[in-house]
Amino acid sequence: MKVLVIGGGAREHALCRALSLDPDVSALYCAPGNAGIAEVAELRQVDALDGGAVARLAAELGAGLVVVGPEAPLVAGVADAVREAGIPCFGPSGEAARLEGSKAFAKDVMAAANVPTARSYVCTTPDEIDRALDAFGAPYVVKDDGLAAGKGVVVTEDATTARDHARACGRVVIEEFLDGPEVSLFAITDGTTVVPLQPAQDFKRALDGDEGPNTGGMGAYSPLPWADPKLVDEVMESVLRPTVDELRRRGTPFAGLLYAGLAITSRGVRVIEFNARFGDPETQVVLARLRTPLAGVLLAAAEGTLAALPPLNWRDDAAVTVVVASHNYPGKPRTGDPIDGLADIAAQDAPHAYVLHAGTRLDGERVVSAGGRVLSVTATGEDLTQARARAYAAVARIRLDGSQHRSDIARQAAEG
């Protein structure tokens, strides 16, 4: 099978790495890709938001499967265009992807499906915003209704900060604060059958100790030794299956990757948000632990045959990802800085640790930074302590002027 992956971040690098290790994949392409993805896939250029262009590229390459990585092309209906061209595509329709594209739509679906989530108000005027903030009080949780690349959420004790963010968003969801640890749980679905992956935890704040501004994610780990062994089964029954069933009932079945961001609160599991694609950086650690070849699972979801697959096979290993970000991230990042040390990691830390590229490009022969989150350093080990040590040993080899990373990814979980 020839596979085309759409996207160019660390999530897509993780997907391409897993697909490149699948013996059933005869050719692997990525558009647009990045400097790291170029080592495992043939790069192509395409406007990722132009469904017709993506479909034409897939046909030209003879792709038997297209995997759409980022959320914006999914919300734009790229998967619909690929399927209309008769090519299997892993990714929900534009209508189903509204589950991520609109927080208000997601709340409506959850209410209809009786899925537990935070109480919330959808606001469009300053008066509505003020009333909602007063109703819930601090800490304030304010979410841009639309796509915001993981940075549209503000959680703050300061009412002025919350109000300013809300008014800048236009349409906004203001909701009650959910206490307790957060968990990311992915599920692959064909619109009827739902297959959960292993849970992970990510770190949204820029600085150690969960301080600093929200980011797209500064690291992740899996498994979660502190989580209830029944957590996945509980979330399947209370969240994932009801949501998939509700979307099918509405005539807009969700086929692709359904991501549930969860809070394990004192009152039970609550959904923080849904995403319509693999999350970044959780994908890096989840796929590091998946033993089952990936292409066949994604194709089965695209073709509606997931029920015929055997259960997924997982490694017992733990995995940790540490994100190396550029100077000033999550503000306007500085780009174009040379990145050194990648060859050292490949020579000294492989196969237990490796680098997945996020915001990189080639400048002649040199790899340079090209975004806010630059690299995802991923490592596996017998347990989180070993995986963590390997990840940070590899991070220490990277030389990128002004770069930053958190030093506490998975520390608390590893220490028990």
Side-chain angles (χ1 to χ4, degrees), residues 117-136:
T117 186
R119 293 179 297 121
S120 64
Y121 295 103
V122 180
C123 306
T124 56
T125 69
D127 284 347
E128 289 175 345
I129 288 167
D130 289 343
R131 284 199 299 272
L133 293 174
D134 289 344
F136 290 128

mmCIF file of all heavy atoms in Angstrom, residues 117-136:
data_model
loop_
_atom_site.group_PDB
_atom_site.id
_atom_site.type_symbol
_atom_site.label_atom_id
_atom_site.label_comp_id
_atom_site.label_asym_id
_atom_site.label_seq_id
_atom_site.Cartn_x
_atom_site.Cartn_y
_atom_site.Cartn_z
ATOM 1 N N THR A 117 -19.495 16.567 31.147
ATOM 2 C CA THR A 117 -18.554 17.640 30.818
ATOM 3 C C THR A 117 -18.807 18.815 31.754
ATOM 4 O O THR A 117 -19.729 18.788 32.581
ATOM 5 C CB THR A 117 -18.700 18.066 29.346
ATOM 6 O OG1 THR A 117 -17.670 19.007 29.023
ATOM 7 C CG2 THR A 117 -20.073 18.670 29.059
ATOM 8 N N ALA A 118 -17.993 19.844 31.624
ATOM 9 C CA ALA A 118 -18.141 21.030 32.462
ATOM 10 C C ALA A 118 -19.390 21.813 32.055
ATOM 11 O O ALA A 118 -19.736 21.897 30.876
ATOM 12 C CB ALA A 118 -16.910 21.920 32.326
ATOM 13 N N ARG A 119 -20.059 22.406 33.040
ATOM 14 C CA ARG A 119 -21.151 23.334 32.742
ATOM 15 C C ARG A 119 -20.565 24.555 32.028
ATOM 16 O O ARG A 119 -19.453 24.979 32.344
ATOM 17 C CB ARG A 119 -21.851 23.763 34.029
ATOM 18 C CG ARG A 119 -22.594 22.625 34.728
ATOM 19 C CD ARG A 119 -23.254 23.095 36.011
ATOM 20 N NE ARG A 119 -22.277 23.547 36.989
ATOM 21 C CZ ARG A 119 -22.225 24.756 37.507
ATOM 22 N NH1 ARG A 119 -23.113 25.670 37.154
ATOM 23 N NH2 ARG A 119 -21.305 25.079 38.400
ATOM 24 N N SER A 120 -21.331 25.106 31.084
ATOM 25 C CA SER A 120 -20.740 26.159 30.261
ATOM 26 C C SER A 120 -21.797 27.101 29.711
ATOM 27 O O SER A 120 -22.995 26.792 29.707
ATOM 28 C CB SER A 120 -19.961 25.538 29.089
ATOM 29 O OG SER A 120 -20.857 24.839 28.226
ATOM 30 N N TYR A 121 -21.324 28.253 29.241
ATOM 31 C CA TYR A 121 -22.153 29.217 28.511
ATOM 32 C C TYR A 121 -21.447 29.565 27.205
ATOM 33 O O TYR A 121 -20.218 29.735 27.186
ATOM 34 C CB TYR A 121 -22.349 30.503 29.320
ATOM 35 C CG TYR A 121 -23.125 30.339 30.594
ATOM 36 C CD1 TYR A 121 -22.478 30.307 31.830
ATOM 37 C CD2 TYR A 121 -24.520 30.226 30.580
ATOM 38 C CE1 TYR A 121 -23.184 30.157 33.022
ATOM 39 C CE2 TYR A 121 -25.240 30.082 31.767
ATOM 40 C CZ TYR A 121 -24.564 30.045 32.971
ATOM 41 O OH TYR A 121 -25.271 29.891 34.145
ATOM 42 N N VAL A 122 -22.210 29.678 26.134
ATOM 43 C CA VAL A 122 -21.701 30.202 24.872
ATOM 44 C C VAL A 122 -22.032 31.688 24.821
ATOM 45 O O VAL A 122 -23.192 32.075 24.959
ATOM 46 C CB VAL A 122 -22.331 29.475 23.666
ATOM 47 C CG1 VAL A 122 -21.790 30.044 22.355
ATOM 48 C CG2 VAL A 122 -22.051 27.974 23.743
ATOM 49 N N CYS A 123 -21.001 32.528 24.646
ATOM 50 C CA CYS A 123 -21.187 33.982 24.734
ATOM 51 C C CYS A 123 -20.718 34.676 23.457
ATOM 52 O O CYS A 123 -19.702 34.289 22.865
ATOM 53 C CB CYS A 123 -20.377 34.537 25.911
ATOM 54 S SG CYS A 123 -20.718 33.738 27.489
ATOM 55 N N THR A 124 -21.446 35.710 23.067
ATOM 56 C CA THR A 124 -21.069 36.493 21.888
ATOM 57 C C THR A 124 -21.041 37.992 22.165
ATOM 58 O O THR A 124 -20.586 38.762 21.325
ATOM 59 C CB THR A 124 -22.043 36.229 20.721
ATOM 60 O OG1 THR A 124 -23.381 36.521 21.161
ATOM 61 C CG2 THR A 124 -21.964 34.783 20.246
ATOM 62 N N THR A 125 -21.534 38.427 23.330
ATOM 63 C CA THR A 125 -21.558 39.863 23.649
ATOM 64 C C THR A 125 -20.819 40.127 24.961
ATOM 65 O O THR A 125 -20.683 39.213 25.799
ATOM 66 C CB THR A 125 -23.001 40.375 23.795
ATOM 67 O OG1 THR A 125 -23.582 39.800 24.983
ATOM 68 C CG2 THR A 125 -23.845 40.008 22.586
ATOM 69 N N PRO A 126 -20.352 41.354 25.170
ATOM 70 C CA PRO A 126 -19.680 41.679 26.436
ATOM 71 C C PRO A 126 -20.557 41.406 27.655
ATOM 72 O O PRO A 126 -20.052 40.923 28.686
ATOM 73 C CB PRO A 126 -19.376 43.173 26.285
ATOM 74 C CG PRO A 126 -19.228 43.374 24.809
ATOM 75 C CD PRO A 126 -20.241 42.461 24.192
ATOM 76 N N ASP A 127 -21.841 41.690 27.576
ATOM 77 C CA ASP A 127 -22.724 41.429 28.709
ATOM 78 C C ASP A 127 -22.808 39.942 29.029
ATOM 79 O O ASP A 127 -22.769 39.542 30.206
ATOM 80 C CB ASP A 127 -24.131 41.976 28.425
ATOM 81 C CG ASP A 127 -24.201 43.492 28.569
ATOM 82 O OD1 ASP A 127 -23.240 44.071 29.122
ATOM 83 O OD2 ASP A 127 -25.202 44.075 28.125
ATOM 84 N N GLU A 128 -22.944 39.117 27.985
ATOM 85 C CA GLU A 128 -22.991 37.662 28.200
ATOM 86 C C GLU A 128 -21.691 37.164 28.817
ATOM 87 O O GLU A 128 -21.693 36.297 29.699
ATOM 88 C CB GLU A 128 -23.257 36.942 26.872
ATOM 89 C CG GLU A 128 -24.668 37.121 26.337
ATOM 90 C CD GLU A 128 -24.847 36.501 24.972
ATOM 91 O OE1 GLU A 128 -23.834 36.182 24.305
ATOM 92 O OE2 GLU A 128 -26.003 36.326 24.561
ATOM 93 N N ILE A 129 -20.575 37.715 28.351
ATOM 94 C CA ILE A 129 -19.269 37.326 28.892
ATOM 95 C C ILE A 129 -19.185 37.657 30.374
ATOM 96 O O ILE A 129 -18.780 36.821 31.199
ATOM 97 C CB ILE A 129 -18.140 38.026 28.098
ATOM 98 C CG1 ILE A 129 -18.021 37.410 26.697
ATOM 99 C CG2 ILE A 129 -16.801 37.919 28.842
ATOM 100 C CD1 ILE A 129 -17.164 38.228 25.743
ATOM 101 N N ASP A 130 -19.572 38.862 30.738
ATOM 102 C CA ASP A 130 -19.498 39.283 32.143
ATOM 103 C C ASP A 130 -20.388 38.414 33.031
ATOM 104 O O ASP A 130 -19.983 38.020 34.139
ATOM 105 C CB ASP A 130 -19.902 40.751 32.271
ATOM 106 C CG ASP A 130 -18.860 41.697 31.681
ATOM 107 O OD1 ASP A 130 -17.711 41.237 31.482
ATOM 108 O OD2 ASP A 130 -19.197 42.863 31.412
ATOM 109 N N ARG A 131 -21.591 38.112 32.544
ATOM 110 C CA ARG A 131 -22.504 37.288 33.350
ATOM 111 C C ARG A 131 -21.944 35.876 33.542
ATOM 112 O O ARG A 131 -22.039 35.308 34.635
ATOM 113 C CB ARG A 131 -23.884 37.228 32.677
ATOM 114 C CG ARG A 131 -24.704 38.507 32.850
ATOM 115 C CD ARG A 131 -26.191 38.264 32.583
ATOM 116 N NE ARG A 131 -26.437 37.817 31.230
ATOM 117 C CZ ARG A 131 -26.648 38.629 30.200
ATOM 118 N NH1 ARG A 131 -26.641 39.939 30.377
ATOM 119 N NH2 ARG A 131 -26.888 38.134 28.992
ATOM 120 N N ALA A 132 -21.350 35.323 32.501
ATOM 121 C CA ALA A 132 -20.808 33.966 32.605
ATOM 122 C C ALA A 132 -19.608 33.924 33.548
ATOM 123 O O ALA A 132 -19.479 33.004 34.369
ATOM 124 C CB ALA A 132 -20.415 33.449 31.217
ATOM 125 N N LEU A 133 -18.729 34.911 33.442
ATOM 126 C CA LEU A 133 -17.573 34.951 34.340
ATOM 127 C C LEU A 133 -18.020 35.095 35.791
ATOM 128 O O LEU A 133 -17.466 34.446 36.695
ATOM 129 C CB LEU A 133 -16.647 36.103 33.945
ATOM 130 C CG LEU A 133 -15.931 35.972 32.594
ATOM 131 C CD1 LEU A 133 -15.157 37.241 32.269
ATOM 132 C CD2 LEU A 133 -14.997 34.769 32.581
ATOM 133 N N ASP A 134 -19.017 35.939 36.027
ATOM 134 C CA ASP A 134 -19.536 36.114 37.384
ATOM 135 C C ASP A 134 -20.198 34.837 37.902
ATOM 136 O O ASP A 134 -20.090 34.502 39.086
ATOM 137 C CB ASP A 134 -20.553 37.257 37.412
ATOM 138 C CG ASP A 134 -19.901 38.620 37.246
ATOM 139 O OD1 ASP A 134 -18.671 38.693 37.418
ATOM 140 O OD2 ASP A 134 -20.621 39.583 36.916
ATOM 141 N N ALA A 135 -20.876 34.114 37.004
ATOM 142 C CA ALA A 135 -21.594 32.896 37.410
ATOM 143 C C ALA A 135 -20.644 31.823 37.912
ATOM 144 O O ALA A 135 -20.937 31.122 38.890
ATOM 145 C CB ALA A 135 -22.430 32.365 36.251
ATOM 146 N N PHE A 136 -19.496 31.678 37.252
ATOM 147 C CA PHE A 136 -18.574 30.591 37.620
ATOM 148 C C PHE A 136 -17.509 31.042 38.608
ATOM 149 O O PHE A 136 -17.066 30.268 39.449
ATOM 150 C CB PHE A 136 -17.902 30.001 36.373
ATOM 151 C CG PHE A 136 -18.824 29.212 35.500
ATOM 152 C CD1 PHE A 136 -18.925 29.461 34.145
ATOM 153 C CD2 PHE A 136 -19.610 28.198 36.037
ATOM 154 C CE1 PHE A 136 -19.776 28.722 33.335
ATOM 155 C CE2 PHE A 136 -20.470 27.459 35.244
ATOM 156 C CZ PHE A 136 -20.553 27.717 33.880
#
